[in-house]
Amino acid sequence: MNTQPLVLGIETSCDETAVGIVRGRTLLANVIASSVEEHARFGGVVPEIASRAHLEAMPAVIKQALVEANVSLRDLDAIGVTAGPGLIGALLVGTSAAHGLALALDKPIYGVNHLSSHLAVDALDETRPLKPAIGLLVSGGHSSIIQVTDMARGVKVLGATIDDAAGEAFDKIARILELDFPGGPAIDRLALSGDPGAIDFPRGLQDSDYNFSFSGLKTAVSRYLKQTPAAHRADVAASFQEAIVDVLLTKALRATAETGIDSLIIAGGVAANSRLRAEAARRCAASKVELHTPPPLLCTDNGAMVAAMTSLAVSAGAAPSTPGFPTLSTVPLDQPTWA
Ligand code: KG4
Ligand code: ZN
């Protein structure tokens, strides 16, 4: 008998309907259906549209994940589902599907934290022992520096953004530059043809603790564009991106130095950014810090991360959630699963 738990994870916190299946720390399937194109013309995710899209996509996404993993529902040891933070209506589609499966199959269900799951996806490499790390979690709603000792038992937040999240800043600047939604990938692409040193945009809170502030940067970019209408847009995108990447990595590496923890995990949607990944590799090598950046498809929202977080919780002996557990729009990072 295989002693590693076989877990199916469901993610519906925003616009991705995603299901992942893992066995222990091995990824078996990762299927994602996105409704992003239905939101593009509104310039942001419309909760009602996202919820309906989850409902339509869910059965096919679950079936495809089972086929990819070559397992049947009866084989599962546990069902994991994002229970927050996220859009409540969207979360409820995922938690309802998970409750239905758990009830029909008589399997335990775990309501898990979306943010912890972003970090937990890094555990999906069974060849590597799990060890303490500093986490840089950068997504559409969060930018935090975290001390990760044991993912399943909770983590310690060292700092977070005091205004916009990093992904939110990318999305807002993309709108000012009249780029497509979501803005992160669009800025990433445009910046490839720009000069990151062209404009010296401010690095907020550079010298203080582990907190971030990106609202001053946003104001500086929009003022620059108003004052310099003929500005080369690729240079603006590249210089803006450089300012964000610089602040994120300066603080994350300061945390590794000050805690003596020589491993850095960068996770969340913004971790898919090509400049952040390249610069992180360069700076970590120079500082002799071991860098973990999940593949881009596992950085943006996915079900594998939920299955990974659930599997770590099961292996650590965490109690399943009580059916009917709440979906929450905000959850502290130090609560990986809840009753
Ligand atoms: O983690 P995620 O998929 O969803 C949340 O939990 O928020 O993160 C979405 C965020 C969006 O703000 C998106 O613009 C940003 O991640 N993002 C990127 C890139 N890909 C996604 N930001 C910069 N560069 C990228 N390549
Ligand atoms: Zn996310």
Side-chain angles (χ1 to χ4, degrees):
M1 199 192 97
N2 199 319
T3 52
Q4 300 293 316
L6 181 68
V7 178
L8 179 142
I10 298 178
E11 154 62 32
T12 62
S13 68
C14 194
D15 57 340
E16 269 89 27
T17 313
V19 173
I21 299 178
V22 304
R23 163 121 26 218
R25 292 173 52 205
T26 305
L27 178 62
L28 303 181
N30 184 35
V31 179
I32 304 169
S34 176
S35 61
V36 67
E37 281 168 16
E38 294 178 56
H39 308 283
R41 69 194 167 100
F42 300 104
V45 174
V46 182
E48 171 81 16
I49 293 176
S51 303
R52 287 175 192 273
H54 288 315
L55 196 55
E56 283 165 23
M58 185 63 74
V61 172
I62 292 176
K63 275 190 195 150
Q64 197 184 327
L66 291 166
V67 170
E68 250 180 44
N70 195 22
V71 297
S72 79
L73 283 173
R74 274 182 306 280
D75 302 330
L76 297 173
D77 295 306
I79 314 283
V81 60
T82 302
L87 303 168
I88 291 297
L91 290 168
L92 282 170
V93 180
T95 55
S96 300
H99 274 90
L101 285 176
L103 186 64
L105 299 165
D106 194 22
K107 306 283 182 188
I109 183 170
Y110 289 79
V112 312
N113 188 329
H114 179 83
L115 304 172
S116 319
S117 302
H118 267 304
L119 289 168
V121 81
D122 176 62
L124 292 179
D125 177 359
E126 68 285 5
T127 60
R128 193 163 34 82
L130 293 175
K131 60 178 209 174
I134 292 297
L136 172 64
L137 174 63
V138 274
S139 70
H142 290 79
S143 305
S144 310
I145 293 187
I146 300 139
Q147 188 170 334
V148 183
T149 310
D150 181 343
M151 209 93 71
R153 292 193 170 80
V155 298
K156 184 174 157 197
V157 179
L158 302 180
T161 183
I162 58 167
D163 41 52
D164 293 346
E168 201 178 348
F170 270 98
D171 294 335
K172 286 180 177 170
I173 296 303
R175 206 171 302 151
I176 299 172
L177 287 168
E178 295 174 1
L179 297 171
D180 290 341
F181 173 82
I187 291 195
D188 197 343
R189 278 191 300 274
L190 180 61
L192 291 175
S193 55
D195 173 6
I199 309 145
D200 188 20
F201 286 129
R203 272 74 167 148
L205 301 184
Q206 179 82 312
D207 297 320
S208 65
D209 51 18
Y210 296 124
N211 290 332
F212 299 109
S213 168
F214 296 116
S215 68
L217 173 59
K218 186 186 63 191
T219 310
V221 176
S222 92
R223 191 180 305 133
Y224 181 86
L225 281 166
K226 275 198 193 98
Q227 289 168 352
T228 327
H232 187 40
R233 287 162 70 254
D235 283 350
V236 177
S239 301
F240 156 75
Q241 181 173 270
E242 199 64 10
I244 290 220
V245 165
D246 185 19
V247 173
L248 292 176
L249 292 177
T250 300
K251 298 214 172 195
L253 283 167
R254 190 189 298 154
T256 63
E258 287 180 0
T259 57
I261 296 174
D262 64 353
S263 183
L264 174 66
I265 303 171
I266 309 186
V270 179
N273 183 267
S274 63
R275 181 67 188 149
L276 178 60
R277 297 171 81 88
E279 187 60 10
R282 194 186 67 75
R283 292 196 198 187
C284 284
S287 310
K288 301 207 166 20
V289 168
E290 188 182 306
L291 174 64
H292 300 258
T293 40
L297 201 61
L298 294 180
C299 288
T300 46
D301 291 347
N302 65 84
M305 67 190 215
V306 179
M309 183 64 245
T310 308
S311 174
L312 291 176
V314 171
S315 298
S321 305
T322 309
F325 55 83
T327 47
L328 303 167
S329 55
T330 54
V331 193
L333 249 159
D334 53 11
Q335 209 182 331
T337 63
W338 55 89

